[in-house]
Amino acid sequence: MFGAIEAGGTKFVCAVGTSPDDLKLAQFPTSSPEATISGAIEFLRDQSDGELKAVGIGSFGPVDLRLNSPTFGYITSTPKSGWQNYDFAGAIRTALSVPVGFDTDVNAAALGEARWGAAQSLSDFLYLTIGTGIGGGAVVNGRVLHGLLHPEMGHIRIPHDFNHDPYLGYCPFHGDCLEGLASGPAMQQRWGESPEGLPANHPAWALEAHYLALGLANWVCTLSPRCIVLGGGVMQQHWLFEMIRKDLSQSLNGYVRAKELMENLDRYVIPPGLGNRSGIIGALVLAEQAYQKQQELGSLRRK
Amino acid sequence: MFGAIEAGGTKFVCAVGTSPDDLKLAQFPTSSPEATISGAIEFLRDQSDGELKAVGIGSFGPVDLRLNSPTFGYITSTPKSGWQNYDFAGAIRTALSVPVGFDTDVNAAALGEARWGAAQSLSDFLYLTIGTGIGGGAVVNGRVLHGLLHPEMGHIRIPHDFNHDPYLGYCPFHGDCLEGLASGPAMQQRWGESPEGLPANHPAWALEAHYLALGLANWVCTLSPRCIVLGGGVMQQHWLFEMIRKDLSQSLNGYVRAKELMENLDRYVIPPGLGNRSGIIGALVLAEQAYQKQQELGSLRRK
């Protein structure tokens, strides 16, 4: 039995179980680290009867994922009050005395989709969330991409025609980066209405699809994924998928000559197979990986 | 002893040897496939005294790199006359009866830099060439990124302020994608002068640095590389490096909080360690890999 935590800036989701079909879930708002983590630990303890083998965490960021870093498992320079330089993985490990797997929320979601969702058996794909922010988790050659720190995909720059859309953008760092133009808060600020409140025939959606398609085109050219899974609150407006596909096809303009992109975009740009549970189920995969790694280390030591 | 071919749209470089210090080189213009490939085969035969163990090819594209594809090793939909659907790897394998490694020219260059150049021992980095076109080869978790086909990094879209730069772009597919705005031919067409002819104080360079820095910022956010190696003809104007670093730093605006990006950009955005030989030396690495793979297969079969 594994424990899982999906740590978001506004809410925490916790789970205990073994698979998507065997999962006890709880959810509560993110407050101070002490209160929030205590709540998570209590839930994991209560639901597992002391049978927990490992815990996986998919966390909001930025986080430190460098395995040999003294601050591995920390949330680092977040603007979120109280959470700066917080030893997230360490707090859970100390409280529960089990191995802890740790990654970004979007990398966890990508792992969830790879294991039980829409990207099963794909060696190379991209998971994106479009919601409060925009973030991406990439799997390359069957492994999650981390690199120097971890990607911050929402912050790529795309063409922005000020004549057509004079909105300056929401991002405090970059103004009109993709997240600044196309996240939920950007839509809310530009149109004075939240994404859920904007009807399907509102011009907001053509613009939103256009910006997201430009981002997707850049990631197709850079990562050459075998599919792109789009999750997050904004994508709950399902008409967006077809609008994004059409705009992406125009953006690429037949340059990347793969059947998947030329003919089968409806199977290339797709919703998550796990709905809004990709992240928490991915955290379960992180727990499993942490457990396996400990077993392997133990077996190496015995040899 | 290995053979290597760096196949470009305008010239072929061929080599026979074992390392950068032991390499016989030849170069000739790219004409028809028959004439060009005959020339390459003749050179490889003559210089190796029949001792060739394998050949590696880094080729212009697009190419088919899917190992289980019936057209693996082909150049596919190139506009270059005569080379469409050309079985490049097959022609070399048939003529020389040795294993053949095959990849894009930029992936080969990335391999060369990883083995003997500026990116030694880096698990994650990006090699870019800025010349007749713009292309990128990424190494992620120690392996070359291929994905669905292979990246076409030059074709990402970046902000383009038409008021400041009314040039429409050179790319026949996308107009003002990065390659359309910042490749050598784009500079030539915009300014009526080739990059080599434009002095260091010409306004062309600030614009060029700005576009390239926007591309680099997008790749930092997407791939989180540990360093970015910039090669190709345009980068022979060495003042560009410092201009790009400054502009990149402004673009990222302190958001990605890694020392490498905040303090040490002069060791992060760097020229190739192998000068203009990254590609041909990378093709040698491809040959070595093809040879090792054959040995492993042979040893598996004997078991």
Side-chain angles (χ1 to χ4, degrees), chain A residues 77 141 144 148 152 157 173-174 218-219 221-222 224 251-253 257, chain B residues 77 141 144 148 152 157 173-174 218-219 221-222 224 251-253 257:
Chain A
S77 58
N141 288 317
V144 171
L148 177 61
E152 288 284 357
R157 307 299 171 86
F173 285 86
H174 311 119
N218 284 359
W219 291 313
C221 289
T222 300
S224 198
S251 274
L252 294 173
N253 197 21
R257 301 187 76 77
Chain B
S77 57
N141 287 318
V144 171
L148 177 62
E152 287 285 357
R157 307 300 171 85
F173 285 87
H174 312 117
N218 284 0
W219 290 314
C221 289
T222 301
S224 197
S251 273
L252 293 173
N253 196 22
R257 301 188 77 78

PDB file of all heavy atoms in Angstrom, chain A residues 77 141 144 148 152 157 173-174 218-219 221-222 224 251-253 257, chain B residues 77 141 144 148 152 157 173-174 218-219 221-222 224 251-253 257:
ATOM      1  N   SER A  77      11.882  28.718  -4.328  1.00  0.00           N
ATOM      2  CA  SER A  77      11.631  30.174  -4.353  1.00  0.00           C
ATOM      3  C   SER A  77      10.179  30.527  -4.677  1.00  0.00           C
ATOM      4  O   SER A  77       9.921  31.485  -5.386  1.00  0.00           O
ATOM      5  CB  SER A  77      12.565  30.816  -5.378  1.00  0.00           C
ATOM      6  OG  SER A  77      12.355  30.232  -6.650  1.00  0.00           O
ATOM      7  N   ASN A 141      12.358   9.279 -24.312  1.00  0.00           N
ATOM      8  CA  ASN A 141      12.989   7.952 -24.258  1.00  0.00           C
ATOM      9  C   ASN A 141      12.543   7.175 -23.015  1.00  0.00           C
ATOM     10  O   ASN A 141      13.334   6.497 -22.365  1.00  0.00           O
ATOM     11  CB  ASN A 141      14.520   8.074 -24.270  1.00  0.00           C
ATOM     12  CG  ASN A 141      15.049   8.489 -25.641  1.00  0.00           C
ATOM     13  OD1 ASN A 141      14.602   7.990 -26.663  1.00  0.00           O
ATOM     14  ND2 ASN A 141      16.007   9.397 -25.659  1.00  0.00           N
ATOM     15  N   VAL A 144      11.193  10.617 -17.439  1.00  0.00           N
ATOM     16  CA  VAL A 144      10.775  12.000 -17.224  1.00  0.00           C
ATOM     17  C   VAL A 144      11.967  12.940 -17.418  1.00  0.00           C
ATOM     18  O   VAL A 144      13.069  12.660 -16.962  1.00  0.00           O
ATOM     19  CB  VAL A 144      10.206  12.162 -15.798  1.00  0.00           C
ATOM     20  CG1 VAL A 144       9.977  13.625 -15.466  1.00  0.00           C
ATOM     21  CG2 VAL A 144       8.899  11.393 -15.668  1.00  0.00           C
ATOM     22  N   LEU A 148      18.508  20.514 -15.851  1.00  0.00           N
ATOM     23  CA  LEU A 148      19.204  21.324 -14.848  1.00  0.00           C
ATOM     24  C   LEU A 148      18.352  21.476 -13.591  1.00  0.00           C
ATOM     25  O   LEU A 148      18.824  21.246 -12.476  1.00  0.00           O
ATOM     26  CB  LEU A 148      19.499  22.687 -15.463  1.00  0.00           C
ATOM     27  CG  LEU A 148      20.166  23.743 -14.594  1.00  0.00           C
ATOM     28  CD1 LEU A 148      21.530  23.270 -14.132  1.00  0.00           C
ATOM     29  CD2 LEU A 148      20.268  25.053 -15.347  1.00  0.00           C
ATOM     30  N   GLU A 152       9.920  24.726 -17.107  1.00  0.00           N
ATOM     31  CA  GLU A 152       8.923  25.743 -16.721  1.00  0.00           C
ATOM     32  C   GLU A 152       8.216  26.127 -18.011  1.00  0.00           C
ATOM     33  O   GLU A 152       8.293  27.260 -18.476  1.00  0.00           O
ATOM     34  CB  GLU A 152       9.627  26.962 -16.093  1.00  0.00           C
ATOM     35  CG  GLU A 152      10.198  26.736 -14.724  1.00  0.00           C
ATOM     36  CD  GLU A 152       9.120  26.716 -13.639  1.00  0.00           C
ATOM     37  OE1 GLU A 152       7.931  26.942 -13.946  1.00  0.00           O
ATOM     38  OE2 GLU A 152       9.498  26.458 -12.457  1.00  0.00           O
ATOM     39  N   ARG A 157       7.876  32.103 -24.729  1.00  0.00           N
ATOM     40  CA  ARG A 157       7.334  33.275 -25.429  1.00  0.00           C
ATOM     41  C   ARG A 157       6.762  32.851 -26.772  1.00  0.00           C
ATOM     42  O   ARG A 157       7.383  32.053 -27.485  1.00  0.00           O
ATOM     43  CB  ARG A 157       8.434  34.314 -25.688  1.00  0.00           C
ATOM     44  CG  ARG A 157       9.215  34.715 -24.469  1.00  0.00           C
ATOM     45  CD  ARG A 157       8.324  35.340 -23.418  1.00  0.00           C
ATOM     46  NE  ARG A 157       9.070  35.518 -22.187  1.00  0.00           N
ATOM     47  CZ  ARG A 157       9.827  36.586 -21.929  1.00  0.00           C
ATOM     48  NH1 ARG A 157       9.908  37.566 -22.805  1.00  0.00           N
ATOM     49  NH2 ARG A 157      10.486  36.673 -20.791  1.00  0.00           N
ATOM     50  N   PHE A 173       6.715  37.894 -14.043  1.00  0.00           N
ATOM     51  CA  PHE A 173       8.105  37.844 -14.506  1.00  0.00           C
ATOM     52  C   PHE A 173       8.238  38.246 -15.975  1.00  0.00           C
ATOM     53  O   PHE A 173       9.199  38.884 -16.357  1.00  0.00           O
ATOM     54  CB  PHE A 173       8.695  36.446 -14.323  1.00  0.00           C
ATOM     55  CG  PHE A 173       9.023  36.124 -12.897  1.00  0.00           C
ATOM     56  CD1 PHE A 173       8.064  35.608 -12.054  1.00  0.00           C
ATOM     57  CD2 PHE A 173      10.291  36.371 -12.397  1.00  0.00           C
ATOM     58  CE1 PHE A 173       8.361  35.318 -10.733  1.00  0.00           C
ATOM     59  CE2 PHE A 173      10.599  36.093 -11.080  1.00  0.00           C
ATOM     60  CZ  PHE A 173       9.632  35.566 -10.245  1.00  0.00           C
ATOM     61  N   HIS A 174       7.293  37.808 -16.808  1.00  0.00           N
ATOM     62  CA  HIS A 174       7.462  37.955 -18.259  1.00  0.00           C
ATOM     63  C   HIS A 174       6.316  38.679 -18.948  1.00  0.00           C
ATOM     64  O   HIS A 174       6.366  38.873 -20.155  1.00  0.00           O
ATOM     65  CB  HIS A 174       7.632  36.574 -18.903  1.00  0.00           C
ATOM     66  CG  HIS A 174       8.636  35.711 -18.223  1.00  0.00           C
ATOM     67  ND1 HIS A 174       8.314  34.506 -17.646  1.00  0.00           N
ATOM     68  CD2 HIS A 174       9.953  35.887 -18.001  1.00  0.00           C
ATOM     69  CE1 HIS A 174       9.396  33.975 -17.098  1.00  0.00           C
ATOM     70  NE2 HIS A 174      10.405  34.789 -17.292  1.00  0.00           N
ATOM     71  N   ASN A 218       5.396  24.868 -30.843  1.00  0.00           N
ATOM     72  CA  ASN A 218       6.784  24.986 -30.385  1.00  0.00           C
ATOM     73  C   ASN A 218       7.253  23.693 -29.716  1.00  0.00           C
ATOM     74  O   ASN A 218       8.403  23.278 -29.879  1.00  0.00           O
ATOM     75  CB  ASN A 218       6.930  26.162 -29.424  1.00  0.00           C
ATOM     76  CG  ASN A 218       6.936  27.499 -30.167  1.00  0.00           C
ATOM     77  OD1 ASN A 218       6.856  27.520 -31.387  1.00  0.00           O
ATOM     78  ND2 ASN A 218       7.039  28.589 -29.431  1.00  0.00           N
ATOM     79  N   TRP A 219       6.364  23.049 -28.970  1.00  0.00           N
ATOM     80  CA  TRP A 219       6.777  21.810 -28.309  1.00  0.00           C
ATOM     81  C   TRP A 219       6.857  20.643 -29.286  1.00  0.00           C
ATOM     82  O   TRP A 219       7.689  19.763 -29.122  1.00  0.00           O
ATOM     83  CB  TRP A 219       5.862  21.523 -27.112  1.00  0.00           C
ATOM     84  CG  TRP A 219       6.083  22.513 -26.010  1.00  0.00           C
ATOM     85  CD1 TRP A 219       7.300  22.911 -25.526  1.00  0.00           C
ATOM     86  CD2 TRP A 219       5.109  23.261 -25.285  1.00  0.00           C
ATOM     87  NE1 TRP A 219       7.115  23.857 -24.539  1.00  0.00           N
ATOM     88  CE2 TRP A 219       5.799  24.089 -24.357  1.00  0.00           C
ATOM     89  CE3 TRP A 219       3.709  23.305 -25.305  1.00  0.00           C
ATOM     90  CZ2 TRP A 219       5.140  24.948 -23.469  1.00  0.00           C
ATOM     91  CZ3 TRP A 219       3.052  24.168 -24.419  1.00  0.00           C
ATOM     92  CH2 TRP A 219       3.764  24.973 -23.526  1.00  0.00           C
ATOM     93  N   CYS A 221       7.893  20.996 -32.343  1.00  0.00           N
ATOM     94  CA  CYS A 221       9.180  21.232 -33.015  1.00  0.00           C
ATOM     95  C   CYS A 221      10.370  20.918 -32.101  1.00  0.00           C
ATOM     96  O   CYS A 221      11.445  20.575 -32.583  1.00  0.00           O
ATOM     97  CB  CYS A 221       9.280  22.680 -33.478  1.00  0.00           C
ATOM     98  SG  CYS A 221       8.185  23.063 -34.862  1.00  0.00           S
ATOM     99  N   THR A 222      10.193  21.044 -30.795  1.00  0.00           N
ATOM    100  CA  THR A 222      11.321  20.878 -29.869  1.00  0.00           C
ATOM    101  C   THR A 222      11.415  19.459 -29.324  1.00  0.00           C
ATOM    102  O   THR A 222      12.501  18.884 -29.263  1.00  0.00           O
ATOM    103  CB  THR A 222      11.185  21.868 -28.693  1.00  0.00           C
ATOM    104  OG1 THR A 222      11.193  23.198 -29.212  1.00  0.00           O
ATOM    105  CG2 THR A 222      12.341  21.705 -27.703  1.00  0.00           C
ATOM    106  N   SER A 224       9.206  16.750 -30.222  1.00  0.00           N
ATOM    107  CA  SER A 224       8.693  15.713 -31.118  1.00  0.00           C
ATOM    108  C   SER A 224       7.929  14.621 -30.343  1.00  0.00           C
ATOM    109  O   SER A 224       8.208  13.433 -30.479  1.00  0.00           O
ATOM    110  CB  SER A 224       9.857  15.087 -31.904  1.00  0.00           C
ATOM    111  OG  SER A 224       9.396  14.389 -33.040  1.00  0.00           O
ATOM    112  N   SER A 251      -0.696  26.114 -37.860  1.00  0.00           N
ATOM    113  CA  SER A 251       0.627  26.583 -37.428  1.00  0.00           C
ATOM    114  C   SER A 251       1.746  25.734 -38.018  1.00  0.00           C
ATOM    115  O   SER A 251       2.745  26.249 -38.492  1.00  0.00           O
ATOM    116  CB  SER A 251       0.736  26.528 -35.902  1.00  0.00           C
ATOM    117  OG  SER A 251       0.231  27.692 -35.321  1.00  0.00           O
ATOM    118  N   LEU A 252       1.583  24.418 -37.953  1.00  0.00           N
ATOM    119  CA  LEU A 252       2.648  23.536 -38.449  1.00  0.00           C
ATOM    120  C   LEU A 252       2.700  23.573 -39.978  1.00  0.00           C
ATOM    121  O   LEU A 252       3.758  23.392 -40.580  1.00  0.00           O
ATOM    122  CB  LEU A 252       2.431  22.106 -37.963  1.00  0.00           C
ATOM    123  CG  LEU A 252       2.568  21.903 -36.450  1.00  0.00           C
ATOM    124  CD1 LEU A 252       2.162  20.479 -36.063  1.00  0.00           C
ATOM    125  CD2 LEU A 252       4.006  22.178 -35.996  1.00  0.00           C
ATOM    126  N   ASN A 253       1.552  23.778 -40.594  1.00  0.00           N
ATOM    127  CA  ASN A 253       1.453  23.950 -42.047  1.00  0.00           C
ATOM    128  C   ASN A 253       2.101  22.807 -42.824  1.00  0.00           C
ATOM    129  O   ASN A 253       2.780  23.023 -43.829  1.00  0.00           O
ATOM    130  CB  ASN A 253       2.082  25.300 -42.444  1.00  0.00           C
ATOM    131  CG  ASN A 253       1.655  25.741 -43.846  1.00  0.00           C
ATOM    132  OD1 ASN A 253       0.644  25.281 -44.362  1.00  0.00           O
ATOM    133  ND2 ASN A 253       2.447  26.594 -44.463  1.00  0.00           N
ATOM    134  N   ARG A 257       6.129  16.014 -41.265  1.00  0.00           N
ATOM    135  CA  ARG A 257       5.333  15.081 -42.057  1.00  0.00           C
ATOM    136  C   ARG A 257       5.157  13.736 -41.374  1.00  0.00           C
ATOM    137  O   ARG A 257       5.659  12.709 -41.830  1.00  0.00           O
ATOM    138  CB  ARG A 257       5.962  14.906 -43.441  1.00  0.00           C
ATOM    139  CG  ARG A 257       6.058  16.234 -44.193  1.00  0.00           C
ATOM    140  CD  ARG A 257       6.509  16.065 -45.625  1.00  0.00           C
ATOM    141  NE  ARG A 257       5.447  15.561 -46.484  1.00  0.00           N
ATOM    142  CZ  ARG A 257       4.455  16.327 -46.935  1.00  0.00           C
ATOM    143  NH1 ARG A 257       4.381  17.589 -46.628  1.00  0.00           N
ATOM    144  NH2 ARG A 257       3.522  15.798 -47.701  1.00  0.00           N
TER     145      ARG A 257
ATOM    146  N   SER B  77      11.232  13.935 -47.159  1.00  0.00           N
ATOM    147  CA  SER B  77      10.520  14.940 -47.967  1.00  0.00           C
ATOM    148  C   SER B  77      11.326  16.210 -48.195  1.00  0.00           C
ATOM    149  O   SER B  77      10.787  17.305 -48.189  1.00  0.00           O
ATOM    150  CB  SER B  77       9.196  15.284 -47.290  1.00  0.00           C
ATOM    151  OG  SER B  77       9.448  15.756 -45.964  1.00  0.00           O
ATOM    152  N   ASN B 141      18.639  13.081 -20.288  1.00  0.00           N
ATOM    153  CA  ASN B 141      18.981  11.901 -19.492  1.00  0.00           C
ATOM    154  C   ASN B 141      20.059  11.055 -20.183  1.00  0.00           C
ATOM    155  O   ASN B 141      20.004   9.825 -20.181  1.00  0.00           O
ATOM    156  CB  ASN B 141      17.733  11.039 -19.239  1.00  0.00           C
ATOM    157  CG  ASN B 141      16.790  11.661 -18.225  1.00  0.00           C
ATOM    158  OD1 ASN B 141      17.224  12.198 -17.200  1.00  0.00           O
ATOM    159  ND2 ASN B 141      15.500  11.605 -18.498  1.00  0.00           N
ATOM    160  N   VAL B 144      20.121  10.898 -26.868  1.00  0.00           N
ATOM    161  CA  VAL B 144      19.628  11.835 -27.877  1.00  0.00           C
ATOM    162  C   VAL B 144      18.102  11.756 -27.966  1.00  0.00           C
ATOM    163  O   VAL B 144      17.533  10.671 -27.959  1.00  0.00           O
ATOM    164  CB  VAL B 144      20.266  11.514 -29.245  1.00  0.00           C
ATOM    165  CG1 VAL B 144      19.612  12.328 -30.344  1.00  0.00           C
ATOM    166  CG2 VAL B 144      21.764  11.791 -29.211  1.00  0.00           C
ATOM    167  N   LEU B 148       8.813  11.300 -31.950  1.00  0.00           N
ATOM    168  CA  LEU B 148       7.993  10.804 -33.058  1.00  0.00           C
ATOM    169  C   LEU B 148       8.814  10.737 -34.344  1.00  0.00           C
ATOM    170  O   LEU B 148       8.830   9.721 -35.037  1.00  0.00           O
ATOM    171  CB  LEU B 148       6.797  11.743 -33.222  1.00  0.00           C
ATOM    172  CG  LEU B 148       5.831  11.477 -34.359  1.00  0.00           C
ATOM    173  CD1 LEU B 148       5.162  10.129 -34.204  1.00  0.00           C
ATOM    174  CD2 LEU B 148       4.787  12.588 -34.427  1.00  0.00           C
ATOM    175  N   GLU B 152      12.503  19.687 -34.960  1.00  0.00           N
ATOM    176  CA  GLU B 152      12.715  20.676 -36.034  1.00  0.00           C
ATOM    177  C   GLU B 152      12.746  22.026 -35.330  1.00  0.00           C
ATOM    178  O   GLU B 152      11.906  22.890 -35.541  1.00  0.00           O
ATOM    179  CB  GLU B 152      11.553  20.615 -37.039  1.00  0.00           C
ATOM    180  CG  GLU B 152      11.550  19.395 -37.930  1.00  0.00           C
ATOM    181  CD  GLU B 152      12.607  19.472 -39.034  1.00  0.00           C
ATOM    182  OE1 GLU B 152      13.302  20.502 -39.143  1.00  0.00           O
ATOM    183  OE2 GLU B 152      12.741  18.479 -39.777  1.00  0.00           O
ATOM    184  N   ARG B 157       7.931  29.315 -33.075  1.00  0.00           N
ATOM    185  CA  ARG B 157       7.475  30.697 -33.254  1.00  0.00           C
ATOM    186  C   ARG B 157       7.883  31.522 -32.043  1.00  0.00           C
ATOM    187  O   ARG B 157       7.757  31.048 -30.904  1.00  0.00           O
ATOM    188  CB  ARG B 157       5.952  30.759 -33.365  1.00  0.00           C
ATOM    189  CG  ARG B 157       5.360  29.862 -34.408  1.00  0.00           C
ATOM    190  CD  ARG B 157       5.886  30.212 -35.792  1.00  0.00           C
ATOM    191  NE  ARG B 157       5.470  29.195 -36.737  1.00  0.00           N
ATOM    192  CZ  ARG B 157       4.297  29.185 -37.354  1.00  0.00           C
ATOM    193  NH1 ARG B 157       3.443  30.155 -37.149  1.00  0.00           N
ATOM    194  NH2 ARG B 157       3.982  28.214 -38.195  1.00  0.00           N
ATOM    195  N   PHE B 173       7.502  27.644 -45.168  1.00  0.00           N
ATOM    196  CA  PHE B 173       6.371  27.012 -44.478  1.00  0.00           C
ATOM    197  C   PHE B 173       5.715  27.956 -43.469  1.00  0.00           C
ATOM    198  O   PHE B 173       4.512  27.944 -43.297  1.00  0.00           O
ATOM    199  CB  PHE B 173       6.821  25.738 -43.755  1.00  0.00           C
ATOM    200  CG  PHE B 173       7.059  24.586 -44.680  1.00  0.00           C
ATOM    201  CD1 PHE B 173       8.289  24.406 -45.288  1.00  0.00           C
ATOM    202  CD2 PHE B 173       6.044  23.685 -44.966  1.00  0.00           C
ATOM    203  CE1 PHE B 173       8.513  23.352 -46.153  1.00  0.00           C
ATOM    204  CE2 PHE B 173       6.252  22.623 -45.824  1.00  0.00           C
ATOM    205  CZ  PHE B 173       7.493  22.460 -46.426  1.00  0.00           C
ATOM    206  N   HIS B 174       6.532  28.714 -42.752  1.00  0.00           N
ATOM    207  CA  HIS B 174       5.996  29.477 -41.625  1.00  0.00           C
ATOM    208  C   HIS B 174       6.287  30.970 -41.680  1.00  0.00           C
ATOM    209  O   HIS B 174       5.886  31.700 -40.785  1.00  0.00           O
ATOM    210  CB  HIS B 174       6.583  28.924 -40.307  1.00  0.00           C
ATOM    211  CG  HIS B 174       6.505  27.438 -40.195  1.00  0.00           C
ATOM    212  ND1 HIS B 174       7.610  26.641 -40.104  1.00  0.00           N
ATOM    213  CD2 HIS B 174       5.438  26.610 -40.192  1.00  0.00           C
ATOM    214  CE1 HIS B 174       7.229  25.360 -40.035  1.00  0.00           C
ATOM    215  NE2 HIS B 174       5.928  25.311 -40.084  1.00  0.00           N
ATOM    216  N   ASN B 218      12.990  29.898 -24.727  1.00  0.00           N
ATOM    217  CA  ASN B 218      11.960  28.857 -24.873  1.00  0.00           C
ATOM    218  C   ASN B 218      12.534  27.468 -24.634  1.00  0.00           C
ATOM    219  O   ASN B 218      11.886  26.609 -24.038  1.00  0.00           O
ATOM    220  CB  ASN B 218      11.323  28.941 -26.264  1.00  0.00           C
ATOM    221  CG  ASN B 218      10.337  30.102 -26.356  1.00  0.00           C
ATOM    222  OD1 ASN B 218      10.134  30.824 -25.383  1.00  0.00           O
ATOM    223  ND2 ASN B 218       9.734  30.283 -27.516  1.00  0.00           N
ATOM    224  N   TRP B 219      13.758  27.247 -25.080  1.00  0.00           N
ATOM    225  CA  TRP B 219      14.360  25.926 -24.877  1.00  0.00           C
ATOM    226  C   TRP B 219      14.811  25.722 -23.436  1.00  0.00           C
ATOM    227  O   TRP B 219      14.766  24.620 -22.926  1.00  0.00           O
ATOM    228  CB  TRP B 219      15.477  25.690 -25.895  1.00  0.00           C
ATOM    229  CG  TRP B 219      14.922  25.525 -27.283  1.00  0.00           C
ATOM    230  CD1 TRP B 219      13.852  24.746 -27.646  1.00  0.00           C
ATOM    231  CD2 TRP B 219      15.359  26.176 -28.481  1.00  0.00           C
ATOM    232  NE1 TRP B 219      13.609  24.885 -28.991  1.00  0.00           N
ATOM    233  CE2 TRP B 219      14.521  25.734 -29.541  1.00  0.00           C
ATOM    234  CE3 TRP B 219      16.382  27.069 -28.771  1.00  0.00           C
ATOM    235  CZ2 TRP B 219      14.674  26.167 -30.858  1.00  0.00           C
ATOM    236  CZ3 TRP B 219      16.543  27.495 -30.084  1.00  0.00           C
ATOM    237  CH2 TRP B 219      15.695  27.047 -31.115  1.00  0.00           C
ATOM    238  N   CYS B 221      13.157  26.921 -20.917  1.00  0.00           N
ATOM    239  CA  CYS B 221      11.894  26.622 -20.225  1.00  0.00           C
ATOM    240  C   CYS B 221      11.369  25.219 -20.558  1.00  0.00           C
ATOM    241  O   CYS B 221      10.666  24.615 -19.756  1.00  0.00           O
ATOM    242  CB  CYS B 221      10.831  27.653 -20.597  1.00  0.00           C
ATOM    243  SG  CYS B 221      11.132  29.282 -19.882  1.00  0.00           S
ATOM    244  N   THR B 222      11.702  24.701 -21.723  1.00  0.00           N
ATOM    245  CA  THR B 222      11.149  23.418 -22.158  1.00  0.00           C
ATOM    246  C   THR B 222      12.062  22.254 -21.836  1.00  0.00           C
ATOM    247  O   THR B 222      11.611  21.213 -21.344  1.00  0.00           O
ATOM    248  CB  THR B 222      10.872  23.450 -23.677  1.00  0.00           C
ATOM    249  OG1 THR B 222       9.946  24.501 -23.952  1.00  0.00           O
ATOM    250  CG2 THR B 222      10.294  22.124 -24.160  1.00  0.00           C
ATOM    251  N   SER B 224      15.217  22.510 -20.101  1.00  0.00           N
ATOM    252  CA  SER B 224      16.055  22.700 -18.929  1.00  0.00           C
ATOM    253  C   SER B 224      17.458  22.120 -19.130  1.00  0.00           C
ATOM    254  O   SER B 224      17.942  21.333 -18.334  1.00  0.00           O
ATOM    255  CB  SER B 224      15.382  22.054 -17.698  1.00  0.00           C
ATOM    256  OG  SER B 224      15.942  22.530 -16.505  1.00  0.00           O
ATOM    257  N   SER B 251      15.404  38.125 -20.907  1.00  0.00           N
ATOM    258  CA  SER B 251      14.204  37.354 -21.238  1.00  0.00           C
ATOM    259  C   SER B 251      13.754  36.486 -20.072  1.00  0.00           C
ATOM    260  O   SER B 251      12.572  36.433 -19.751  1.00  0.00           O
ATOM    261  CB  SER B 251      14.464  36.439 -22.439  1.00  0.00           C
ATOM    262  OG  SER B 251      14.239  37.110 -23.639  1.00  0.00           O
ATOM    263  N   LEU B 252      14.680  35.782 -19.456  1.00  0.00           N
ATOM    264  CA  LEU B 252      14.313  34.885 -18.357  1.00  0.00           C
ATOM    265  C   LEU B 252      13.949  35.695 -17.112  1.00  0.00           C
ATOM    266  O   LEU B 252      13.142  35.273 -16.297  1.00  0.00           O
ATOM    267  CB  LEU B 252      15.469  33.934 -18.039  1.00  0.00           C
ATOM    268  CG  LEU B 252      15.791  32.916 -19.136  1.00  0.00           C
ATOM    269  CD1 LEU B 252      17.063  32.144 -18.795  1.00  0.00           C
ATOM    270  CD2 LEU B 252      14.633  31.943 -19.350  1.00  0.00           C
ATOM    271  N   ASN B 253      14.557  36.853 -16.956  1.00  0.00           N
ATOM    272  CA  ASN B 253      14.224  37.797 -15.884  1.00  0.00           C
ATOM    273  C   ASN B 253      14.281  37.152 -14.491  1.00  0.00           C
ATOM    274  O   ASN B 253      13.424  37.401 -13.644  1.00  0.00           O
ATOM    275  CB  ASN B 253      12.834  38.400 -16.153  1.00  0.00           C
ATOM    276  CG  ASN B 253      12.596  39.656 -15.320  1.00  0.00           C
ATOM    277  OD1 ASN B 253      13.547  40.304 -14.879  1.00  0.00           O
ATOM    278  ND2 ASN B 253      11.335  39.976 -15.083  1.00  0.00           N
ATOM    279  N   ARG B 257      15.716  29.892 -11.308  1.00  0.00           N
ATOM    280  CA  ARG B 257      16.725  30.262 -10.323  1.00  0.00           C
ATOM    281  C   ARG B 257      17.830  29.223 -10.196  1.00  0.00           C
ATOM    282  O   ARG B 257      17.980  28.562  -9.169  1.00  0.00           O
ATOM    283  CB  ARG B 257      16.071  30.519  -8.973  1.00  0.00           C
ATOM    284  CG  ARG B 257      15.021  31.640  -9.044  1.00  0.00           C
ATOM    285  CD  ARG B 257      14.493  32.038  -7.702  1.00  0.00           C
ATOM    286  NE  ARG B 257      15.441  32.870  -6.973  1.00  0.00           N
ATOM    287  CZ  ARG B 257      15.637  34.150  -7.207  1.00  0.00           C
ATOM    288  NH1 ARG B 257      14.978  34.764  -8.160  1.00  0.00           N
ATOM    289  NH2 ARG B 257      16.499  34.834  -6.495  1.00  0.00           N
TER     290      ARG B 257
END
